[in-house]
Amino acid sequence: MSAIHHPRHLSTSISSSTSAFLGQNNFNTRTQSVPLPVRNNGSCKCVATPSAEKTAYTTKVSRNANMAKLQAGYLFPEVARRKAAHILKYPDAEVISLGIGDTTEPIPEVITSAMAKRSNALSTVEGYSGYGAEQGEKVCLILFYKNSCQNPLLYRHVDSSSRSVQPLRAAIATAFYGHLGIEEDDIFVSDGAKSDISRLQVLFGSGVTMAVQDPSYPAYVDSSVIMGQTKQFQKDIEKYANIEYMSCTPENGFFPDLSKVSRTDIIFFCSPNNPTGSAASREQLTRLVQFAKDNGSIIVYDSAYALYISDDNPRSIFEIPGAKEVAIETSSFSKYAGFTGVRLGWTVVPKQLLYSDGFPVAKDFNRIVCTCFNGASNIAQSGALACVSPDGLKAIHEVIGFYKENADIIMDTFNSLGFNVYGGKNAPYVWVHFPGRSSWDVFSEILEKTHVVTTPGSGFGPGGEGFVRVSAFCHRSNVLEACRRFKQLYK
Amino acid sequence: MHAVTGHYTKVARNINMERLRNNYLFPEISVLELEHIKKYPNAKVISLGIGDTTEPIPDIVTLSMADYARALSTREGYKGYGAEQGNKALRKAIAETFYGDLEVKDTEVFVSDGSQCDISRLQLLLGSNVSVAVQDPIFPAYMDSSVIIGQSGDYQDETLKYRNVEYMTCGPKNHFFPNLSTTSRTDIIFFCSPNNPTGHAASREQLEQLVAFARENGSIIVYDSAYSAYITDESPRSIYEIPGAREVAIEISSFSKFAGFTGVRLGWTVVPEELLYSNKVPIINDFNRIVCTCFNGASSIAQAGGLTCLSSEGFQAMLAVVDYYKANAKILVDTFASLDLKVYGGVNAPYVWVHFPGSRSWDVFAEILEKTHIITVPGSGFGPGGEGYIRVTAFGHRETILEASTRLRSLFR
């Protein structure tokens, strides 16, 4: 007697939020065979059953309403999905990726050899380390062992409140905030900006209001929606209710008119900006800090591209007097050292930053980091330490210089074709205006006709409509080839 | 300590953070360890507190990570962003190695930088409006992350529990498995087996009850199997060994205690395709969205190491280290047993759970620390159900474990 099988076709509620995922994983329907108990009376009673879709088991757990608010898949997987579809369509085309801002050049050896060395050390008794401090490596391991010969059985390292040597946190403080009064224990090492942004949102909670630049890196808005800080998406204006969108356009020099911006608790500000490439001036940032001070707001300042700055613009919000009382800064080795896969970043939360009741924000952030995180990979931390050594800094500046040259080439190309071109000078992104056109249409046109992947501006917010972001991360030969193709298309 | 003068923002502190009672348990233990070292600079302090691995990672794995790192300096070997869900080969290897017969697909495996992060990402996924149940005692991250995301009410000093959370007592009297007939329905049930801190591995029969309970109640189990490699007997190593679990359970696990990756950072979460919200939306779709938005993948170097751990040679090497720690656990179990103390765990997990009836666990912790210079973890740090117990980890160099054993015998004789 065989079990009766009823294949069950479960159709997923396929919304656009799943499009990227479906593209990657290729499941559109799922079948589920559920063997029914065998009847013992010797005959098989076959009852015609209707399609069992309606009786598929579901839990009684309600979907998080915040997830339902999200409009589409995260932007970059969607771009990746379209690229993949394009490659399938044109298997012989040489597709060039200037879309997702993914680094392409090898990491300098001074850095990878430090990581290799750390990896190898993990196989030795002296060099093995387990859990590190969640905020980032503190005790210099070899030094510790040599100095603790009177305690041969002591092999556990001690924690965050210790005042012992904190090599990576101290090294980051010195390298990037040398004269700005930011100390090693203001620095929280992480696995990168995207994770940090979400941990900051968890820190702030659902009860805060936020402002973002428009256009901006999508993680700020999306994490805000997920956290429950927003209301519904308003399709007519392409904005989430309860978020203050600070328009950044050519007309206002890509700096918001603060006189028109409502007060919010949190202000996300990215400079040099992804996607527009604009770097805020000292004067602009002074006004921003004053605005935050007047409103009692907290700026979350994303400085991931600071080393791309060519001119005198501030590389850190903490260059502005008073910023320590109003700002958090987040940054990353992704675009400096090609650590997009290696994963290492940091967040600065100054001691002086206080909630309305005087409670230090850093104390709560530390609690989040200790509870919701377990430290960046120790191997990546060794790599980061090498990045900020004198040789490491020199090497990463060379790689940054290379990408900046790419940006120059891209800018020159679009300029020569008569486009209004922004960015590219202080950031590895070139922001090209296609007035009156839908940015997804331009994206598709460029992809179809030149096999070059870019990123449609509207993916960064309604303020990005009519623009396309071209990233400068590429092998030189590919950048030159892409530009040749652009010239063909738009001549 | 608040700043004396200076600007206050007008941003209200997150009320959920205010709700947290103490600092996170393990940094607290570290602080006490440091203070003790300062007080007794010549003492040989032994750490059997925080469950931190101590033995070097086998060469085969670290060599692969070193090679991968070096290759990042070459044009052919350089890789930038990986898929947020993890390297495809690694996802496949995890599915095959740990879930080979259990029909878990590689697409259902999400590689991460470890369970502590996964738990919080799951909390972000689930949101503040779900009700949760936790074992009592339990690894504090479930409870603390639940408070942080806003699922709990205030802490009650009288009961030592947060409101709105269902605490499922696990003790010797109920074979360390909750009495489900007296457990209220919650949306989410956190369940760790083998258990941290009690060391108990739930039996097949117990897990069948749990799955049935979840199914009846329409609940989701978040099953933490981080210590499954330590199981000695026939206890299930994955919740998916239980029929029907795919429709009710998420499983999280980690390379930390299996491969000594506590610092390297690598873990994974399994979300079966069949796991649906009440409105039929597959949870895997939303989890994928969280992973793509709130995370950018585990370190590629760690993933390369993880893949090597799952090669046949690598896997044997991993098990050899696990066996080393298991032998440590046996020494500790035997030590406490020989002192006529009631000792649990240590057979299917690297934790030994020792009962000191009538004593306060922080007092026992302090006495052990003061008199033998051994750091343990007081059971009450894991919840009110841990009061009267001490957790001792089996991670350590063998000679350290033996030394600890000697000291404990002299203290408790």
Side-chain angles (χ1 to χ4, degrees):
Chain A
M1 231 358 96
S2 63
I4 300 164
H5 279 245
H6 288 263
R8 292 183 173 187
H9 294 272
L10 295 166
S11 63
T12 63
S13 52
I14 298 173
S15 64
S16 59
S17 71
T18 65
S19 62
F21 182 59
L22 292 177
Q24 281 196 332
N25 295 284
N26 293 318
F27 73 91
N28 290 321
T29 57
R30 301 189 309 279
T31 59
Q32 182 180 337
S33 296
V34 180
L36 293 180
V38 173
R39 303 246 174 239
N40 283 329
N41 61 5
S43 66
C44 171
K45 270 197 175 157
C46 292
V47 178
T49 56
S51 136
E53 180 186 318
K54 297 185 183 91
T55 61
Y57 175 83
T58 69
T59 67
K60 291 189 185 124
V61 180
S62 299
R63 186 186 185 201
N64 182 346
N66 298 329
M67 297 302 293
K69 288 179 186 133
L70 288 168
Q71 282 308 292
Y74 190 62
L75 172 62
F76 301 110
E78 181 57 23
V79 171
R81 196 191 66 76
R82 295 207 190 196
K83 174 185 170 183
H86 186 80
I87 290 172
L88 282 177
K89 193 172 163 192
Y90 299 101
D92 296 327
E94 281 170 30
V95 175
I96 297 177
S97 269
L98 301 180
I100 294 167
D102 194 8
T103 47
T104 55
E105 300 312 289
I107 298 174
E109 271 183 42
V110 60
I111 296 162
T112 55
S113 60
M115 295 196 289
K117 195 163 165 206
R118 184 67 184 275
S119 300
N120 288 324
L122 292 171
S123 278
T124 66
V125 172
E126 324 75 52
Y128 178 76
S129 61
Y131 285 119
E134 296 89 343
Q135 307 82 353
E137 291 211 305
K138 303 177 23 156
V139 180
C140 178
L141 298 171
I142 309 303
L143 203 59
F144 183 89
Y145 279 109
K146 283 185 182 152
N147 291 343
S148 67
C149 49
Q150 72 272 34
N151 289 307
L153 291 180
L154 177 57
Y155 54 82
R156 281 273 312 123
H157 304 298
V158 292
D159 108 297
S160 21
S161 56
S162 160
R163 293 328 240 148
S164 28
V165 173
Q166 302 184 358
L168 180 57
R169 297 166 80 184
I172 288 174
T174 306
F176 298 110
Y177 305 100
H179 306 294
L180 302 179
I182 294 294
E183 297 171 338
E184 59 196 3
D185 54 4
D186 297 323
I187 309 256
F188 295 82
V189 177
S190 77
D191 63 317
K194 220 180 196 189
S195 306
D196 273 339
I197 288 161
S198 281
R199 280 191 282 269
L200 285 169
Q201 296 288 34
V202 170
L203 167 76
F204 295 135
S206 58
V208 298
T209 52
M210 65 162 257
V212 285
Q213 289 162 294
D214 178 25
S216 70
Y217 177 55
Y220 313 134
V221 167
D222 286 12
S223 61
S224 183
V225 175
I226 288 170
M227 203 54 219
Q229 294 160 357
T230 79
K231 296 198 168 56
Q232 295 297 334
F233 188 74
Q234 301 165 293
K235 281 199 162 65
D236 49 341
I237 53 173
E238 304 221 336
K239 295 180 178 181
Y240 289 93
N242 220 39
I243 293 185
E244 181 73 8
Y245 288 75
M246 306 185 293
S247 195
C248 291
T249 62
E251 290 77 27
N252 63 15
F254 296 102
F255 188 80
D257 179 352
L258 295 174
S259 69
K260 298 208 170 81
V261 176
S262 302
R263 182 201 175 273
T264 56
D265 293 307
I266 314 298
I267 304 169
F268 279 93
F269 200 91
C270 178
S271 178
N273 189 262
N274 175 9
T276 70
S278 170
S281 67
R282 190 167 311 270
E283 186 270 329
Q284 287 170 333
L285 291 179
T286 304
R287 281 193 280 133
L288 182 68
V289 166
Q290 191 58 50
F291 179 72
K293 200 154 183 137
D294 293 342
N295 283 344
S297 307
I298 297 175
I299 299 167
V300 175
Y301 189 83
D302 186 342
S303 65
Y305 301 100
L307 293 189
Y308 284 80
I309 292 174
S310 299
D311 49 31
D312 285 333
N313 294 319
R315 279 127 173 91
S316 164
I317 191 66
F318 302 116
E319 290 187 35
I320 310 301
K324 287 201 208 78
E325 293 173 321
V326 304
I328 288 169
E329 180 162 307
T330 184
S331 194
S332 168
F333 284 98
S334 282
K335 308 300 162 57
Y336 292 168
F339 267 30
T340 39
V342 174
R343 311 305 317 147
L344 207 301
W346 71 90
T347 290
V348 183
V349 187
K351 299 174 194 58
Q352 296 87 336
L353 186 66
L354 310 175
Y355 285 115
S356 55
D357 65 353
F359 193 86
V361 177
K363 210 153 180 267
D364 273 353
F365 188 64
N366 187 64
R367 182 56 149 103
I368 295 276
V369 161
C370 288
T371 309
C372 305
F373 185 52
N374 227 331
S377 177
N378 48 15
I379 299 169
Q381 292 197 56
S382 287
L385 197 55
C387 286
V388 294
S389 69
D391 284 343
L393 284 171
K394 189 161 171 287
I396 67 180
H397 275 284
E398 273 173 31
V399 181
I400 289 168
F402 173 85
Y403 291 129
K404 287 177 71 167
E405 281 166 14
N406 283 350
D408 283 340
I409 293 166
I410 296 166
M411 273 198 298
D412 287 346
T413 299
F414 281 101
N415 271 318
S416 74
L417 292 166
F419 286 98
N420 283 327
V421 177
Y422 306 96
K425 188 157 153 303
N426 290 315
Y429 298 118
V430 179
W431 190 236
V432 187
H433 200 188
F434 290 80
R437 296 196 62 192
S438 139
S439 56
W440 275 107
D441 286 350
V442 178
F443 165 90
S444 297
E445 172 181 271
I446 293 176
L447 182 57
E448 188 68 27
K449 297 189 178 165
T450 69
H451 305 300
V452 177
V453 186
T454 57
T455 312
S458 60
F460 299 96
E465 185 58 284
F467 291 85
V468 160
R469 188 193 79 171
V470 185
S471 100
F473 297 113
C474 212
H475 296 320
R476 181 60 48 82
S477 53
N478 285 340
V479 167
L480 292 169
E481 172 61 16
C483 287
R484 197 192 60 75
R485 297 179 194 177
F486 293 146
K487 285 185 179 149
Q488 270 302 103
L489 177 60
Y490 289 116
K491 62 171 181 259
Chain B
M1 194 183 329
H2 297 358
V4 176
T5 59
H7 169 80
Y8 286 20
T9 66
K10 292 190 185 125
V11 180
R13 187 181 177 205
N14 183 347
I15 187 183
N16 298 328
M17 297 302 294
E18 269 187 81
R19 275 202 175 108
L20 285 167
R21 281 325 277 163
N22 309 304
N23 291 325
Y24 192 58
L25 175 63
F26 301 110
E28 279 302 279
I29 301 294
S30 280
V31 168
L32 294 166
E33 180 178 346
L34 178 64
E35 282 170 8
H36 188 79
I37 291 168
K38 284 185 178 152
K39 190 173 164 194
Y40 298 101
N42 296 318
K44 292 174 182 175
V45 177
I46 294 178
S47 237
L48 300 180
I50 293 170
D52 195 8
T53 46
T54 55
E55 299 313 289
I57 297 171
D59 278 344
I60 182 181
V61 172
T62 55
L63 281 171
S64 73
M65 293 196 288
D67 283 346
Y68 187 91
R70 270 190 292 267
L72 293 171
S73 279
T74 68
R75 204 175 149 108
E76 320 72 48
Y78 179 75
K79 291 188 180 64
Y81 285 117
E84 295 91 339
Q85 305 86 353
N87 169 276
K88 200 154 172 57
L90 179 58
R91 297 170 83 185
K92 231 169 160 275
I94 290 170
E96 280 164 13
T97 305
F98 297 105
Y99 306 99
D101 307 324
L102 302 178
E103 293 178 8
V104 167
K105 298 184 187 169
D106 58 343
T107 51
E108 295 172 324
V109 175
F110 293 81
V111 179
S112 75
D113 59 329
S115 296
Q116 206 150 280
C117 309
D118 274 338
I119 289 163
S120 283
R121 281 190 283 268
L122 284 169
Q123 296 288 32
L124 257 186
L125 166 77
L126 297 167
S128 57
N129 283 335
V130 295
S131 52
V132 306
V134 292
Q135 288 162 294
D136 178 24
I138 194 54
F139 177 56
Y142 313 128
M143 193 62 253
D144 287 13
S145 61
S146 182
V147 176
I148 288 171
I149 207 77
Q151 293 158 355
S152 82
D154 287 329
Y155 187 79
Q156 304 164 279
D157 284 313
E158 324 82 62
T159 59
L160 304 175
K161 296 181 179 182
Y162 289 94
R163 278 184 208 281
N164 287 354
V165 176
E166 183 70 10
Y167 287 71
M168 305 184 295
T169 303
C170 292
K173 293 203 181 89
N174 59 13
H175 309 288
F176 292 98
F177 188 76
N179 181 353
L180 295 176
S181 64
T182 56
T183 302
S184 302
R185 181 200 175 276
T186 55
D187 293 307
I188 313 299
I189 305 168
F190 284 99
F191 200 90
C192 178
S193 178
N195 189 262
N196 175 7
T198 69
H200 176 74
S203 67
R204 188 166 311 271
E205 195 264 336
Q206 287 172 334
L207 292 180
E208 281 167 357
Q209 273 185 55
L210 183 68
V211 168
F213 180 72
R215 215 182 165 89
E216 269 160 46
N217 285 340
S219 308
I220 297 173
I221 300 166
V222 175
Y223 189 83
D224 186 345
S225 66
Y227 301 99
S228 62
Y230 289 78
I231 292 176
T232 306
D233 58 21
E234 294 305 309
S235 306
R237 281 148 172 73
S238 162
I239 190 66
Y240 303 116
E241 292 188 32
I242 311 301
R246 285 179 61 84
E247 291 171 317
V248 304
I250 288 170
E251 180 160 309
I252 63 178
S253 195
S254 170
F255 282 83
S256 284
K257 307 299 162 56
F258 159 67
F261 267 32
T262 40
V264 176
R265 308 309 315 147
L266 193 68
W268 71 89
T269 292
V270 178
V271 186
E273 290 168 359
E274 290 93 318
L275 188 63
L276 309 175
Y277 285 116
S278 55
N279 65 355
K280 301 207 181 98
V281 169
I283 288 169
I284 192 174
N285 293 355
D286 276 359
F287 188 63
N288 185 66
R289 185 55 151 100
I290 295 275
V291 161
C292 288
T293 308
C294 306
F295 184 53
N296 229 332
S299 177
S300 53
I301 302 172
Q303 294 195 59
L307 196 55
T308 308
C309 289
L310 302 183
S311 67
S312 54
E313 196 190 325
F315 197 75
Q316 293 312 309
M318 298 296 106
L319 292 183
V321 182
V322 167
D323 281 344
Y324 181 91
Y325 293 130
K326 286 171 76 167
N328 284 352
K330 183 159 197 320
I331 292 168
L332 292 168
V333 168
D334 290 346
T335 301
F336 286 109
S338 76
L339 296 165
D340 285 330
L341 286 163
K342 283 248 167 352
V343 55
Y344 305 95
V347 169
N348 287 318
Y351 299 117
V352 178
W353 187 239
V354 189
H355 198 190
F356 293 86
S359 298
R360 289 191 61 249
S361 54
W362 277 105
D363 290 343
V364 180
F365 165 89
E367 184 189 0
I368 293 175
L369 181 55
E370 191 66 26
K371 297 189 178 162
T372 67
H373 306 298
I374 296 173
I375 310 265
T376 58
V377 185
S380 58
F382 298 98
E387 185 56 280
Y389 291 84
I390 290 287
R391 189 192 80 173
V392 185
T393 86
F395 298 116
H397 299 319
R398 183 60 49 77
E399 62 270 20
T400 311
I401 300 290
L402 291 168
E403 168 73 15
S405 171
T406 304
R407 296 184 197 178
L408 289 165
R409 281 180 209 268
S410 67
L411 172 64
F412 288 114
R413 204 178 351 252

